[in-house]
Amino acid sequence: MVKPLPKATPLVLHPSLCVGCHYCQVACSFIKEQEMGLTKSRISVVRVGEPERYDVFFNDDCDWCGFCVKFCFYGAILKEGTPAEKAAHV
Amino acid sequence: MPPTLGYGFVGSVLSVDLSTGEGHVEPLGEELTRKYVGGHGINVKLLYDRVPPNMDPLSPGSPIVIGAGALLGTLAPTAARTVIMGKSPVTGFIGISNAGHFGVMLKYAGYDHLVITGRADRPVYLEIDDDRVQLRDASHLWGKDTYETVDILWRERGNDYWVACIGPAGENLVPFAAVIGNKYAAFGRSGMGAVMGSKNLKAIAVRGTKGVRVADVPRFIKVTRKVLRRMMDSKEEVEVWRSGGTWGWSLKGHPFVRARAQRDDVEVLDPAKYYRKRFEVRNASCFACPIGCKHSLTLKEGKYPGMAFTLGCTSGTMSGPYGTGLGIVGYDDVARCAELVQRYGLDSITTGGLIYLATELYKNEMLGPQDTGGLHLEFGDAPLTHELIRQIAYREGLGSALAAGPVDFAKTVGRGAEEYVVHWKGLARAPTNVYHDLRAFKSTLALAWAVNPRGGHIDAYRFPWVVGSTEDAISIIRKWAQHIGMSQEDLDSVVHGDAYDMPGYMRFVERYNLSVYTMGLCDRTVVLKALPVDLLAELYSSATGLAISPQEMLIGAERIWNLQKAFNLRQGHTRKDDAVPERFFLESGVTSDGKVYPPLRREEFDQLIDRYYESHGWERETGKPRRETLVRLGLEDVADHVGAT
């Protein structure tokens, strides 16, 4: 269960668009733990299928700070209510 | 005790001896970063120190040196480039093979470089799990292809391991065997798969839980975001790379060179039309890359039910050798060629070129059914091509002769067959790619193949390339000079009015591209456009805490370039090895769109090499760096090694 910051904009995930670049994870562990890596990230990117299919989900300690959104270039993580997120529903 | 590195770099070199089963970790010396910057550069030095003259590349003493670019594991976009080096069984010179792959996990496990020596007495794989480094039994993996091997290891050890492995080709010591990572990242050229096979090393599996820090966080983040913005602002170009992969720049198909045995099919296939009809195409990506130029293919329509795999390079692995190259028309059949070369762990470009060569020789009656085991070789024959790929990997039938590689195969055929081989230092391909053909294009790209230390391939020397035969070559150079931050002084030294000194320009291109490689960043044009030298130096300085100016970075690259040359000289490289295929001097290049390019004149080519050597401070007769060049670069010991005067 995500524990959102006060006034945090909810984040929306589209795992089918995830390409497994792990950029969100590096960004997250950096902003939260001052170290670039995968294991301290509060967002998980897990290989679930072939070829190169991933699931992405927020860990319990994610607070929806939204830093990961800036580093997803494939539309897999979006801020709710933004034009990009609305377009994803179409 | 010299200071250890802890920012950007993780500060360690892991060495594993497969003969003794022992490993040890040493600090990565800061002096190596000062001289060789990082990644590819340090890797060359580690290799140079371990390969004496005349070493047998498949002997136990022959090392494999693997390097992660300096910025791997950080937020720097596209920082995934990993290099595998050794002495090449294909060329006998420096072997360099790279892909965006497991160097990232090496960094997260705590290592910048990995050195492997010796030979295991039975099949093993190297498992690196942070500080836990083990050699594990691979007898149940030996004989499996590169997809099966990864699947088994993911099941047994966890699918968060990144696995680079060899297939049957590497096991059978096919000299141009490849190493394939996670079923798609091809360390394709130079035969590093054969070197692994000679060591009974089936795979390297790495995972790491540690992190990478950067020294000056605000500065690093600022330059990272600047680079990202520049990259993603080229929306159209990003889309070209996403939709077409490495093929994207020729989405409408490009002309190909017809060779001596005319192919009957003429159609230049438009991948957008044919490829996406057969396959659902999804993007896949290197680590930390916003572009995502790789393609995951799932068959919708075609002959191979259940076919689904990922291609790191649509052009080099698939469309180049088997589509345009061999003229296979059905894209499920073309993709099947790519899947097979990946599974077997073969260099796709060499393999396609080799089958092309055999077919040309057959059609010109220099080979007959008695030589081919009854096979009738024909361009565009998909089942035949699939069978030949298999035969090469397993050294069966005609494959047992072909597996020697194009140069040696042509030697055994004799009667002038050697003139057919399209190779540069023994690293070969099909003759169809017009942009690598010096008859057609007097360009850095075409010349680069002749002088590339690892032989015929585009890598550190391809971009920014100039299509030298077009009128707007000068404007292309000026535009790229702006993109990459070429100094006015450098620009003025190569552009004179409406003419440019192409060999002189290459010197800048080489140093720029090598700088990108030391960082571990990608060299697709869409990335390079975002990476002028000042931002490269800024990324490095802010990440590592080791201040470097653009000029120092380019001098480091020049040092690396000269060290690569010295490596080759010590393995017997002479001026005659900086050469183009013999047939370029003997026949015109005729393209599918009707253009005819006359044969290259020898004196013209010789003058290009003369000027190339001169601009590098190298001796005209031998290509050996002059002593003053090496001393200027702080390579006095290397000057002694090669007998520089």
Side-chain angles (χ1 to χ4, degrees), chain A:
Chain A
M1 188 65 199
V2 164
K3 297 174 186 148
L5 288 168
K7 300 186 186 174
T9 307
L11 303 181
V12 177
L13 295 170
H14 293 285
S16 65
L17 297 179
C18 176
V19 302
C21 73
H22 301 277
Y23 216 5
C24 56
Q25 291 186 288
V26 182
C28 178
S29 75
F30 163 69
I31 203 71
K32 293 300 182 190
E33 309 292 336
Q34 290 78 56
E35 200 176 75
M36 295 166 181
L38 299 179
T39 47
K40 293 181 183 171
S41 162
R42 301 181 188 188
I43 183 169
S44 293
V45 175
V46 174
R47 181 187 304 280
V48 293
E50 300 289 337
E52 296 297 300
R53 290 185 198 272
Y54 293 87
D55 190 15
V56 52
F57 52 89
F58 299 115
N59 301 349
D60 288 351
D61 50 356
C62 167
D63 59 15
W64 275 347
C65 76
F67 193 66
C68 55
V69 180
K70 301 182 202 296
F71 288 90
C72 178
F73 293 87
Y74 302 95
I77 315 168
L78 297 167
K79 282 191 174 170
E80 190 182 79
T82 56
E85 196 269 322
K86 286 179 184 158
H89 285 297
V90 172

Side-chain angles (χ1 to χ4, degrees), chain B residues 514-555:
Chain B
L514 259 183
S515 298
V516 173
Y517 270 48
T518 58
M519 313 284 167
L521 303 176
C522 176
D523 67 351
R524 315 287 201 224
T525 42
V526 63
V527 178
L528 298 188
K529 274 186 173 171
L531 285 174
V533 292
D534 58 304
L535 291 186
L536 271 176
E538 183 71 1
L539 273 173
Y540 182 89
S541 302
S542 59
T544 64
L546 304 168
I548 198 169
S549 68
Q551 292 70 31
E552 287 166 333
M553 189 179 68
L554 293 173
I555 290 171

